[in-house]
Amino acid sequence: DVKVTQSSRYLVKRTGEKVFLECVQDMDHENMFWYRQDPGLGLRLIYFSYDVKMKEKGDIPEGYSVSREKKERFSLILESASTNQTSMYLCASSLGQGDAGELFFGEGSRLTVL
Amino acid sequence: AQSVSQHNHHVILSEAASLELGCNYSYGGTVNLFWYVQYPGQHLQLLLKYFSGDPLVKGIKGFEAEFIKSKFSFNLRKPSVQWSDTAEYFCAVNAMDSSYKLIFGSGTRLLVRP
């Protein structure tokens, strides 16, 4: 089975802090994604990566950056956390060659910014 | 911009009732279509998918969905729901000219009463 592991299930941070969310997949997938999930809004794509060191903006990239130095690891960075970034963050990966394909999701990281 | 609409935000059914959840998307070209499910406290997982071929696709746990291209719809159905189907259901679309972007609907929360 594909396993997507997110480093932290729950985080509480203060406004202005730098936040790192780590994600690791163990199936040699090419594509990795970061979504945020908010009630009534579904999942919104923040960033995705289709190869090492490659990244593309999703629909809501403002206030976020990403890093993919190794194929299995995709990090989401909040340079200066704000209260409107309180959310559930979901990492996903897919094998997909040329398209998103079937996504495999991690358990999620619930971030609260005070 | 592409979008996915799920018309029912909350659905309450009794066990053995039939289920149909609506999903419409706005994109005129070739699409891949998905339904994902999130059981309480668990990660998102794939329920079923449509890439091409027979527009009636069957997924896990007795779910099926029908792709009607002329209506831009991909509705999810189950003839007889169980209490264990209580979950949140998300429709998702991958437009083939946006290759890596999987766009999700806002989700439908299903509560099945025993």
Side-chain angles (χ1 to χ4, degrees):
Chain A
D1 280 352
V2 175
K3 191 160 181 65
V4 179
T5 304
Q6 295 184 228
S7 55
S8 304
R9 292 293 304 275
Y10 301 94
L11 302 95
V12 178
K13 299 291 182 180
R14 296 200 177 277
T15 301
E17 281 192 86
K18 192 169 187 176
V19 181
F20 291 89
L21 300 179
E22 299 280 326
C23 175
V24 178
Q25 52 95 0
D26 66 357
M27 282 299 292
D28 202 36
H29 282 174
E30 302 291 331
N31 307 326
M32 296 189 75
F33 306 81
W34 276 106
Y35 286 87
R36 63 177 282 177
Q37 182 180 10
D38 299 289
L41 297 178
L43 278 72
R44 292 178 290 166
L45 182 62
I46 304 171
Y47 268 97
F48 62 95
S49 168
Y50 52 88
D51 201 353
V52 175
K53 296 191 186 295
M54 304 301 290
K55 59 186 179 183
E56 294 280 347
K57 292 180 180 179
D59 296 317
I60 53 164
E62 296 79 18
Y64 304 94
S65 61
V66 291
S67 172
R68 193 162 181 207
E69 296 296 318
K70 294 184 178 182
K71 190 175 186 179
E72 68 272 16
R73 189 178 297 269
F74 192 36
S75 302
L76 180 69
I77 303 149
L78 289 66
E79 293 289 342
S80 177
S82 63
T83 54
N84 63 12
Q85 292 178 308
T86 291
S87 187
M88 172 69 87
Y89 290 89
L90 300 180
C91 176
S93 71
S94 71
L95 177 63
Q97 290 143 354
D99 59 56
E102 175 186 345
L103 266 59
F104 295 85
F105 284 88
E107 300 277 352
S109 298
R110 185 168 294 282
L111 171 66
T112 301
V113 183
L114 302 175
Chain B
Q2 297 146 23
S3 63
V4 179
S5 298
Q6 292 183 241
H7 314 296
N8 312 101
H9 298 295
H10 293 91
V11 174
I12 301 174
L13 295 172
S14 298
E15 275 195 316
S18 64
L19 170 72
E20 181 160 3
L21 300 182
C23 173
N24 286 89
Y25 63 93
S26 63
Y27 179 69
T30 303
V31 292
N32 293 339
L33 299 159
F34 305 81
W35 276 96
Y36 282 83
V37 61
Q38 188 171 33
Y39 297 105
Q42 297 187 25
H43 63 279
L44 273 155
Q45 56 188 283
L46 184 71
L47 201 54
L48 48 78
K49 60 188 177 185
Y50 171 81
F51 284 3
S52 63
D54 188 345
L56 183 62
V57 293
K58 296 191 184 299
I60 60 172
K61 304 186 179 184
F63 286 89
E64 64 179 31
E66 185 175 14
F67 171 46
I68 303 179
K69 190 174 182 180
S70 61
K71 294 185 178 180
F72 300 93
S73 70
F74 190 55
N75 292 354
L76 181 70
R77 300 193 292 249
K78 186 172 184 178
S80 176
V81 295
Q82 300 173 323
W83 175 78
S84 58
D85 293 325
T86 293
E88 191 161 17
Y89 294 81
F90 294 92
C91 180
V93 175
N94 178 202
M96 297 312 294
D97 71 345
S98 301
S99 53
Y100 298 102
K101 291 181 69 173
L102 190 61
I103 306 299
F104 283 80
S106 56
T108 298
R109 286 188 182 273
L110 172 65
L111 173 63
V112 179
R113 291 184 168 149

